[in-house]
Amino acid sequence: MTEAISLPPAAGRTVDQDLLMLLDHALPVVLIIKLSGAWYHPGLLPNDTVPGIALLNALFLAFCLYGTVRLLLTHAIETIFAEPAYLALLVLAAIGITLSVSSPNSLGMVRTAALFFGSCVFLRYRFSPYYLMRLFVAVMGAVMLLSLLTALATPVGIMHGFDAGRWRGIFNHKNSLGEAAAITLIVGGGLFAANILRTYWLVSVVVVTFVCLIMSGSATALAAAAVGSLVFATALLIVRLQVIRQQGLWLLLALITLLAIGGYASTGLIAAALGRDLTFTSRTEIWQQFLYFADQRPWAGWGWATISTTDQMLPIIRQTLGLPYIQTPHSGYLSLLVELGYPGLLAFAAWLSHIIFMTCRRAILGRSRAALIRLAVACALIVHSLFESTSGALPSLWLLLLFAVGPRITIRWH
């Protein structure tokens, strides 16, 4: 049963209801394809402003608007309680528009993020989490297979220059392939391990995805996938061993805390294991430069989506470091700090902490298999956001899953 909102049987439906059903099922597919980033490849398109890209962006926003309107017509009140900490982040970003160094860009990002959030929460109420995760693996599995074939059969799927030999498949960069493979591996492996779906097709997707992840050579994606998988396996083991539920909850939270502390204390060993030095491919030098700009506006920030648009930031950093192709701080947290200040960063941290605690509760106390996978995705996102700006608080495959497969809240008035 995929529907959470009941519809009349086929014989009794009108044309309008059939159209709504078609659009409802198309919504998650459009979001997954757009957020995967697999639709843009520098070997096939000259830049990311060609008409086809603009059309896809417009289609993405149109479907987000559709999902948000559908949500407001069916579960308007529940939207407030779905993810309050992330809503607080959106409110802070909206307030920051007036202080932004590029108000049009900040306004556009707030609009996109709000519509994306609304459409994802609509999916939470429209479909079951298991249907959405199976659909996610089906779409991304096809993307992974195409990336595998492209890398094996053509030079287009292989990186050149500094990262020569590493796979990028049908993506624009090896890190993009690695990120997509990491989240697909966590969800696909979770579906199999939790006994939600066990088919030869799923095993094939997991194997192909694992190969793409390894061959991409993305250390960040490998670390995120490893942490997510470890947390998932630990939580699943606690459930399978039938540990007393309250004790199991505190045990899992303690293990996650120890994993975080141990990871921080073993930074040097982890970097060496991943073939990196302590600068994480010069990321620490980049972070230091962006922190200088964050210190200039620590509370108001420069405005959401302004790092790449202001002439006061990227050109100076590129010239200082001698790296002409820098586009982001290579950290989702640092991006938030620069653009939204400490309030925005704290709101995002509060949302992530709330996600971790509540999914642990649902996974251990409620024995929810969907919560097990959601917990793994959240933990992997925390790691990935340390070194890449493509995750963090921006619309992404990570947030799509965290928003869409969350718990449904029903408000009853007495």
Side-chain angles (χ1 to χ4, degrees), residues 11-192:
R13 288 200 301 264
T14 65
V15 174
D16 292 342
Q17 290 171 328
D18 283 334
L19 178 60
L20 286 177
M21 186 173 65
L22 178 63
L23 291 174
D24 289 351
H25 283 79
L27 173 60
V29 177
V30 172
L31 296 188
I32 293 170
I33 293 176
K34 170 61 171 66
L35 294 172
S36 72
W39 41 268
Y40 167 63
H41 193 290
L44 304 176
L45 298 171
N47 55 64
D48 59 358
T49 60
V50 296
I53 302 299
L55 179 62
L56 183 58
N57 289 332
L59 182 67
F60 172 75
L61 284 176
F63 268 90
C64 285
L65 176 61
Y66 166 80
T68 302
V69 171
R70 288 275 280 149
L71 173 70
L72 295 177
L73 292 176
T74 54
H75 294 89
I77 302 299
E78 286 86 343
T79 305
I80 302 173
F81 301 95
E83 302 293 344
Y86 190 82
L87 277 179
L89 174 66
L90 291 180
V91 171
L92 287 172
I95 295 173
I97 293 175
T98 58
L99 304 173
S100 173
V101 296
S102 180
S103 297
N105 276 64
S106 298
L107 177 61
M109 178 53 68
V110 171
R111 174 205 61 198
T112 301
L115 292 178
F116 168 71
F117 172 74
S119 62
C120 290
V121 176
F122 167 69
L123 292 177
R124 177 186 300 190
Y125 285 94
R126 180 63 175 86
F127 300 106
S128 77
Y130 303 110
Y131 169 78
L132 290 173
M133 287 188 287
R134 289 196 300 267
L135 177 65
F136 180 88
V137 172
V139 175
M140 292 306 298
V143 171
M144 290 297 113
L145 179 59
L146 287 174
S147 292
L148 175 74
L149 296 176
T150 302
L152 291 176
T154 71
V156 173
I158 306 295
M159 294 287 295
H160 304 284
F162 180 76
D163 295 309
R166 294 176 178 175
W167 287 11
R168 67 180 176 189
I170 59 174
F171 292 80
N172 67 330
H173 195 270
K174 70 177 185 67
N175 289 341
S176 299
L177 172 61
E179 179 180 358
I183 189 170
T184 305
L185 185 64
I186 291 171
V187 178
L191 288 174
F192 184 87

Side-chain angles (χ1 to χ4, degrees), residues 57-352:
N57 289 332
L59 182 67
F60 172 75
L61 284 176
F63 268 90
C64 285
L65 176 61
Y66 166 80
T68 302
V69 171
R70 288 275 280 149
L71 173 70
L72 295 177
L73 292 176
T74 54
H75 294 89
I77 302 299
E78 286 86 343
T79 305
I80 302 173
F81 301 95
E83 302 293 344
Y86 190 82
L87 277 179
L89 174 66
L90 291 180
V91 171
L92 287 172
I95 295 173
I97 293 175
T98 58
L99 304 173
S100 173
V101 296
S102 180
S103 297
N105 276 64
S106 298
L107 177 61
M109 178 53 68
V110 171
R111 174 205 61 198
T112 301
L115 292 178
F116 168 71
F117 172 74
S119 62
C120 290
V121 176
F122 167 69
L123 292 177
R124 177 186 300 190
Y125 285 94
R126 180 63 175 86
F127 300 106
S128 77
Y130 303 110
Y131 169 78
L132 290 173
M133 287 188 287
R134 289 196 300 267
L135 177 65
F136 180 88
V137 172
V139 175
M140 292 306 298
V143 171
M144 290 297 113
L145 179 59
L146 287 174
S147 292
L148 175 74
L149 296 176
T150 302
L152 291 176
T154 71
V156 173
I158 306 295
M159 294 287 295
H160 304 284
F162 180 76
D163 295 309
R166 294 176 178 175
W167 287 11
R168 67 180 176 189
I170 59 174
F171 292 80
N172 67 330
H173 195 270
K174 70 177 185 67
N175 289 341
S176 299
L177 172 61
E179 179 180 358
I183 189 170
T184 305
L185 185 64
I186 291 171
V187 178
L191 288 174
F192 184 87
N195 203 21
I196 298 172
L197 179 66
R198 288 194 169 181
T199 62
Y200 290 116
W201 164 82
L202 179 60
V203 173
S204 302
V205 168
V206 171
V207 171
V208 168
T209 301
F210 182 74
V211 171
C212 289
L213 175 62
I214 297 298
M215 296 305 296
S216 72
S218 173
T220 302
L222 282 167
V227 169
S229 300
L230 179 59
V231 170
F232 175 86
T234 302
L236 183 61
L237 181 62
I238 291 174
V239 172
R240 293 278 172 84
L241 292 177
Q242 297 183 348
V243 177
I244 298 175
R245 300 194 180 196
Q246 196 64 42
Q247 293 179 358
L249 171 61
W250 292 114
L251 175 61
L252 179 59
L253 290 171
L255 290 174
I256 291 175
T257 303
L258 289 175
L259 179 63
I261 296 174
Y264 178 78
S266 307
T267 301
L269 295 175
I270 295 173
L274 294 173
R276 300 293 188 268
D277 55 26
L278 284 177
T279 67
F280 296 101
T281 323
S282 300
R283 277 174 169 79
T284 53
E285 300 174 10
I286 298 173
W287 295 344
Q288 186 177 4
Q289 294 297 320
F290 277 99
L291 281 172
Y292 168 76
F293 288 95
D295 290 339
Q296 294 183 24
R297 304 182 71 166
W299 298 106
W302 292 75
W304 213 1
T306 57
I307 286 178
S308 60
T309 58
T310 173
D311 295 333
Q312 302 166 299
M313 200 175 303
L314 277 182
I316 296 175
I317 294 175
R318 288 168 176 168
Q319 183 177 6
T320 301
L321 297 178
L323 300 173
Y325 300 109
I326 292 177
Q327 298 291 338
T328 70
H330 281 285
S331 171
Y333 304 115
L334 186 52
S335 294
L336 275 173
L337 179 60
V338 171
E339 296 183 340
L340 299 181
Y342 285 107
L345 179 59
L346 290 175
F348 184 65
W351 174 69
L352 280 177

